[in-house]
Amino acid sequence: MINTFNVTLPSGATWTPTFVAALNEEKCIGCGRCFKVCPRGVLELVGLNEDGERIRVDLDDDDDEEYEKKVMTIAHQELCIGCTACSRICPKKCYSHAAALV
């Protein structure tokens, strides 16, 4: 039997956290807002070259000539704590979240 992961809060209320499930890279503008608010290091900014290949973006020495555009990726989905801060701050609404099944 598959159940949804729930948390019982001190008040007795039940909360069902939703964890990052996908990111629409077509909509993503690479602004980095979600990266800045994620408390767990779930996300990573990458560059896409003209062939669509991913290139590591060095945040300290940003050479924009190596890639066509920057996009956010889900690098460590297992670290997501379900706060949905990334989704709430995203101006393009690129994220989808889902409850965990146990």
Side-chain angles (χ1 to χ4, degrees):
M1 179 177 208
I2 299 176
N3 293 317
T4 303
F5 175 73
N6 295 309
V7 177
T8 302
L9 302 173
S11 66
T14 301
W15 173 57
T16 303
T18 56
F19 302 93
V20 67
L23 187 156
N24 184 332
E25 291 182 6
E26 294 296 318
K27 289 170 112 181
C28 181
I29 59 173
C31 67
R33 291 177 184 156
C34 54
F35 179 80
K36 292 174 184 169
V37 299
C38 179
R40 301 286 299 172
V42 173
L43 308 169
E44 181 176 287
L45 188 63
V46 297
L48 297 178
N49 68 14
E50 56 193 28
D51 297 326
E53 297 171 344
R54 295 171 188 263
I55 299 169
R56 186 176 182 280
V57 172
D58 184 355
L59 298 176
D60 294 326
D61 181 33
D62 193 14
D63 182 11
D64 288 347
E65 294 178 18
E66 291 182 45
Y67 43 84
E68 294 291 312
K69 77 177 228 178
K70 295 183 218 177
V71 296
M72 200 57 62
T73 61
I74 301 170
H76 302 284
Q77 190 173 18
E78 73 279 4
L79 298 178
C80 181
I81 59 172
C83 69
T84 68
C86 56
S87 183
R88 286 181 280 138
I89 202 163
C90 181
K92 295 295 182 176
K93 305 302 177 204
C94 298
Y95 290 90
S96 60
H97 287 73
L101 301 177
V102 291

